[in-house]
Structures are given as C-alpha cells and as structure tokens.
Amino acid sequence: MSDRLHSSRPIVVGVDGSAPARRALDWAMAYAELKGAPVLAVRAWQVPFSSGVDSTVMTTTEYVAAMRRDLEKAVDEAELEHPRVHVSALLTEGRPGRVLVDQSEHADLLVVGSRGHGRLVGTAIGSVSQYCVTHGHGPVLVIRDDD
C-alpha cells in the first residue's frame, strides 16, 4: 500500500447503538480499510435522568456495563466485516458531542450518524451531530438515516 494512502491518524466514529450510528461505523470501517487508517469507536455516556412511576432504576455500574457491552458488540461485528482494519473502542463519561469533538482533534475524520438515541427523535439532524459539525476540529461526515 502506498504511504500516501496510509494514515496513522484515526477515523473517529460515534457509536450509540442506534441504526444511524451502526451505519456510521460501517462507513468508517470501509473508508479506513481503503485509507489504511485505524478506527476509534467512541461511546460517551451520562447517567440518564428519569422520574415517575414507569422509570427504570439502574445503578451507574449497571448502566456503564450495558454501554460497554453494546460498544464491544458493535466493534466485534465491525471487525468481522473488516478484519484488516485496526479498531479500538473508547467508553467515557461525558456529553457525547463534546467527547467526540475532543477526540476529533487528532483524527483524520469524525463520522457520526444523523440521529442517535437522543430526545429529539424525528429531527433531520440530531443535536450531537449538529454539535460535531459546528465544533469539530477537522472534517465531519454525517451519515444520514435511511428514512
């Protein structure tokens, strides 16, 4: 592979378990394979706030463990499809948009889905992807939803 195509700077991709995020990870992996770049799959979390009779009580430890399982599953599936791509995962506490923008500082590209599991379901572009486009340190690609 030509050195011109090979990159040691990662392609950072936001992963939150949503269908658009899965498509973003698939796209990032295919692109990384072409460029010879590594992928960093990032999942940021915040303790969810809920109240009322129907709210589910989950400890922070249980919540983080569930996030870790989801991220590892997404990465494992992506590795099966693209075994030549080096992919690593980062699970960290923080606001998703801010965490992704911070990670984009040393990346070739930041890839996000158009909408995730946020509160604004039905919008054309989600708040995290909007934040990343506005504040990203380099190129940001938003993978649109199918609908």
Side-chain angles (χ1 to χ4, degrees):
M1 180 181 304
S2 165
D3 284 342
R4 195 176 94 240
L5 294 177
H6 184 75
S7 174
S8 61
R9 290 170 47 104
I11 296 167
V12 174
V13 59
V15 179
D16 70 359
S18 67
R22 282 192 299 278
R23 282 191 291 284
L25 180 58
D26 290 342
W27 191 96
M29 293 292 287
Y31 185 69
E33 193 164 14
L34 291 173
K35 282 201 52 125
V39 169
L40 176 60
V42 178
R43 178 137 194 192
W45 63 272
Q46 294 177 292
V47 176
F49 173 79
S50 62
S51 62
V53 177
D54 293 333
S55 63
T56 302
V57 176
M58 183 182 277
T59 68
T60 301
T61 303
E62 292 169 327
Y63 183 73
V64 172
M67 298 296 105
R68 185 174 311 285
R69 281 191 304 274
D70 289 348
L71 179 58
E72 288 172 354
K73 181 179 182 223
V75 167
D76 288 347
E77 289 171 358
E79 285 179 317
L80 286 175
E81 292 292 319
H82 301 276
R84 295 185 303 184
V85 176
H86 174 74
V87 59
S88 54
L90 173 65
L91 177 68
T92 187
E93 183 176 9
R95 292 180 53 202
R98 185 167 291 149
V99 168
L100 289 166
V101 165
D102 288 348
Q103 291 299 316
S104 78
E105 187 170 357
H106 302 289
D108 268 356
L109 177 67
L110 172 58
V111 183
V112 294
S114 59
R115 294 183 305 209
H117 285 306
R119 289 174 258 149
L120 302 175
V121 175
T123 58
I125 186 169
S127 59
V128 171
S129 50
Q130 178 84 37
Y131 186 88
C132 290
V133 166
T134 304
H135 300 286
H137 293 284
V140 178
L141 177 66
V142 178
I143 302 296
R144 291 178 46 131
D145 203 5
D146 278 346
D147 47 334

